[in-house]
């Protein structure tokens, strides 16, 4: 199927590894012009090289810490200078630190707020004016199944992803008449560095190894396995595409069935 986004400019945040990188690759496969960012230059250069080797497009990359407003503005300006606009914004971020309510400090909340919610607001704020002008835009936020069913020991994610979901729904209401769609993809257990870190964290208090924790996570999924980042990316790219032209304001979980709720 031709998804109809060849030549569109796609900006993917936090995209040097994991789900962000898989989304960047899937967009490159569709022929998008790609801008990627994360905090570490060396890793970004490697990611850009990988994408170029596989898909024969040269991603534009920039160092950007999502917690820093200035970094976001600078990166967006650089992308705009390079490509002239952004048609597709994929808001990904590093996962906030794990912990129960009593484990978390004011600074932890402040950092997670900037990383998970404010970065989405800031990037959206920068790209939306041009999307309104051209009457075409796609925004897809990577959230978590935590928005449907709070995850054990992830107080920050459980709280702040809900904010992203409310923001996305409100934005979709405001700009639906400008042909801008805003959606969220909520991954379940997906085999990336983030999941490995969460397993290591759970192992510390459970007396089990992180390998055992990963096996337990997989058993908890009706499909009896963990997801791959490319399986999340497939849904993200569909929602970012021309084919998803009448889907907006929604959250779609990609979780092998692990969310137990009906809706
Ligand atoms: P990952 O740790 O593999 O990758 C995170 C990416 O974010 C990396 O490229 C990293 O460099 C970048 N990053 C981290 N902090 C950043 C910052 N301050 N500024 C810029 N870039 C930053 O994680 P992942 O598994 O790919 O997860 C992506 C998102 O999906 C996270 O928000 C995570 O919480 C969420 N999620 C993941 C899973 C899972 O099982 N992997 C499940 C649900 C939700």
């Amino acid at each position: 199927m031709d998804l109809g986004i060849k030549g569109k400019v796609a900006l993917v945040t936090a995209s040097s590894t994991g789900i962000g990188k898989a989304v960047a690759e899937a967009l490159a496969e569709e022929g998008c012009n790609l801008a990627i960012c994360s905090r570490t230059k060396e890793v970004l250069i490697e990611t850009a090289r990988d994408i170029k080797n596989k898909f024969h497009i040269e991603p534009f990359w920039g160092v950007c810490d999502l917690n820093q407003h200035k970094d976001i503005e600078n990166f967006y300006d650089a992308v705009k200078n390079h490509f002239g606009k952004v048609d597709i914004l994929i808001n990904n971020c590093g996962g906030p630190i794990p912990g129960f309510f009593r484990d978390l400090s004011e600074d932890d909340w402040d950092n997670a707020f900037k990383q998970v919610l404010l970065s989405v607001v800031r990037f959206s704020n920068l790209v939306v004016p041009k999307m309104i002008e051209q009457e075409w835009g796609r925004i897809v936020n990577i959230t978590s199944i935590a928005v449907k069913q709070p995850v054990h020991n992830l107080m920050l994610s459980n709280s702040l992803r809900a904010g992203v979901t409310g923001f996305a729904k409100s934005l979709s209401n405001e700009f639906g008449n400008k042909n801008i769609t805003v959606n969220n993809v909520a991954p379940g257990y997906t085999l990336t560095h983030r999941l490995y870190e969460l397993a290591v964290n759970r192992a510390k208090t459970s007396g089990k190894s992180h390998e055992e924790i990963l096996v337990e996570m997989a058993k908890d999924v009706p499909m009896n396995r963990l997801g791959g980042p490319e399986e999340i990316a497939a849904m993200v790219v569909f929602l970012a595409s021309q084919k998803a032209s009448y889907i907006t304001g929604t959250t779609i979980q990609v979780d092998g069935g692990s969310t137990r709720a009906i809706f």
Side-chain angles (χ1 to χ4, degrees):
M1 187 181 0
D2 177 5
L3 292 180
I5 47 175
K6 193 172 182 342
K8 297 276 189 205
V9 178
L11 188 166
V12 188
T13 66
S15 40
S16 61
T17 62
I19 293 169
K21 180 180 179 189
V23 171
E25 292 192 333
L27 288 164
E29 198 169 4
E30 289 303 315
C32 288
N33 292 311
L34 204 56
I36 60 172
C37 67
S38 73
R39 287 165 305 176
T40 318
K41 185 177 170 185
E42 292 70 27
V43 187
L44 270 171
I45 291 175
E46 210 175 295
T47 303
R49 195 183 306 126
D50 274 1
I51 292 174
K52 190 178 173 197
N53 288 342
K54 278 193 205 161
F55 304 105
H56 313 293
I57 70 138
E58 185 99 47
F60 180 80
W61 61 266
V63 173
C64 174
D65 182 344
L66 293 178
N67 290 34
Q68 306 298 328
H69 195 182
K70 202 75 211 147
D71 278 18
I72 290 178
E73 284 181 338
N74 289 344
F75 179 60
Y76 172 74
D77 284 347
V79 174
K80 210 169 134 214
N81 283 339
H82 189 77
F83 288 125
K85 59 175 180 168
V86 172
D87 301 303
I88 296 169
L89 170 65
I90 312 295
N91 284 308
N92 184 42
C93 67
I97 59 167
F100 293 106
F101 180 58
R102 280 169 300 171
D103 303 326
L104 300 166
S105 68
E106 178 85 9
D107 278 352
D108 294 333
W109 279 96
D110 195 46
N111 283 329
F113 171 69
K114 284 187 192 132
Q115 182 170 321
V116 174
L117 178 55
L118 204 52
S119 68
V120 172
V121 176
R122 285 169 168 166
F123 266 109
S124 302
N125 201 19
L126 292 167
V127 302
V128 159
K130 183 71 185 169
M131 289 179 175
I132 293 174
E133 193 187 309
Q134 66 185 20
E135 298 208 358
W136 200 97
R138 297 282 183 269
I139 299 177
V140 184
N141 308 309
I142 314 294
T143 61
S144 164
I145 52 165
V147 299
K148 304 256 176 180
Q149 185 174 288
V151 180
H152 181 75
N153 192 31
L154 292 189
M155 171 54 96
L156 291 171
S157 183
N158 295 339
S159 305
L160 293 163
R161 309 285 190 190
V164 175
T165 310
F167 172 75
K169 186 70 183 165
S170 309
L171 206 63
S172 73
N173 289 339
E174 200 169 331
F175 297 115
N177 65 352
K178 296 292 176 198
N179 201 23
I180 301 171
T181 68
V182 189
N183 292 289
N184 310 302
V185 171
Y189 293 132
T190 311
L191 202 50
T192 63
H193 184 64
R194 163 76 173 169
L195 195 67
Y196 173 81
E197 277 180 342
L198 291 178
V200 168
N201 183 274
R202 267 190 215 175
K204 280 183 204 153
T205 50
S206 67
K208 295 174 187 163
S209 69
H210 67 269
E211 288 92 346
E212 286 170 309
I213 300 284
L214 286 171
V215 170
E216 278 181 11
M217 285 174 172
K219 277 195 186 141
D220 197 36
V221 179
M223 292 192 78
N224 214 19
R225 66 176 177 84
L226 303 172
E230 69 290 346
E231 294 180 291
I232 312 300
M235 176 53 71
V236 175
V237 172
F238 178 70
L239 290 173
S241 78
Q242 183 54 34
K243 294 285 184 201
S245 48
Y246 201 52
I247 304 175
T248 194
T250 195
T251 294
I252 300 182
Q253 70 257 32
V254 181
D255 65 353
S258 33
T259 310
R260 296 314 198 258
I262 295 172
F263 295 110

